[in-house]
Amino acid sequence: MSETTASAAVAAQPVPVTAGRRRARTALRGLQVLLALFYALASALPKLIAYPAAVESFDKLGWGTAGMYVIGALELAGAVALLVPVLQSVAAIALSALMVGAFVVQLTAFDGENAATPLVLIVPLALIAWARRDRNSELLRLIRGGK
């Protein structure tokens, strides 16, 4: 067996799942579930049911109910996608981008009130995006038709 063949054989062997890796995967999955619940229930739901405080905020921005419903739908889609294995990394990236927008809006339209919240949420989203990045190639393969 040549050195190249031996290296390929070693690389092809599955990495053993240790107790530490199992705990880390479980913790990451728990974090994803918590974030999905937060985005679905605490963030998207008030927008989608036109909760008066949400309506008032979007009216102040000049975006009206249409903007409120769009942002709520994006947050709900992101929450669901955080729970779909092939979409987890992309969902975390998309929600991070949404949080950058939320940060800018908080700074410019609301004088920095609650501006830290989107920044705090970006940290676990970035962790999820990085930890689940291996799923991106699988997603690309599915988009291209399974080739």
Side-chain angles (χ1 to χ4, degrees):
M1 187 186 285
S2 72
E3 188 174 318
T4 307
T5 308
S7 297
V10 170
Q13 293 176 354
V15 177
V17 179
T18 63
R21 288 180 61 90
R22 191 174 300 115
R23 281 192 298 272
R25 282 194 337 222
T26 302
L28 185 63
R29 188 67 174 161
L31 179 62
Q32 288 174 236
V33 170
L34 285 174
L35 282 171
L37 287 171
F38 170 79
Y39 278 105
L41 300 177
S43 195
L45 185 63
K47 294 171 184 81
L48 296 174
I49 65 170
Y51 189 73
V55 172
E56 182 182 326
S57 294
F58 279 86
D59 283 344
K60 181 177 179 181
L61 290 171
W63 297 1
T65 55
M68 180 181 66
Y69 290 133
V70 168
I71 298 296
L74 289 171
E75 290 174 339
L76 183 60
V80 171
L82 277 175
L83 303 176
V84 177
V86 74
L87 298 175
Q88 293 167 346
S89 179
V90 172
I93 293 167
L95 285 169
S96 293
L98 200 59
M99 291 301 97
V100 169
F103 174 71
V104 171
V105 167
Q106 289 293 330
L107 283 180
T108 58
F110 297 106
D111 299 321
E113 184 181 331
N114 300 321
T117 303
L119 293 179
V120 168
L121 290 168
I122 288 173
V123 173
L125 289 168
L127 174 66
I128 292 166
W130 181 80
R132 304 294 192 201
R133 70 192 181 281
D134 59 324
R135 300 294 185 136
N136 293 338
S137 59
E138 184 180 343
L139 178 60
L140 280 174
R141 194 170 43 255
L142 288 171
I143 291 170
R144 292 179 180 157
K147 294 179 183 179

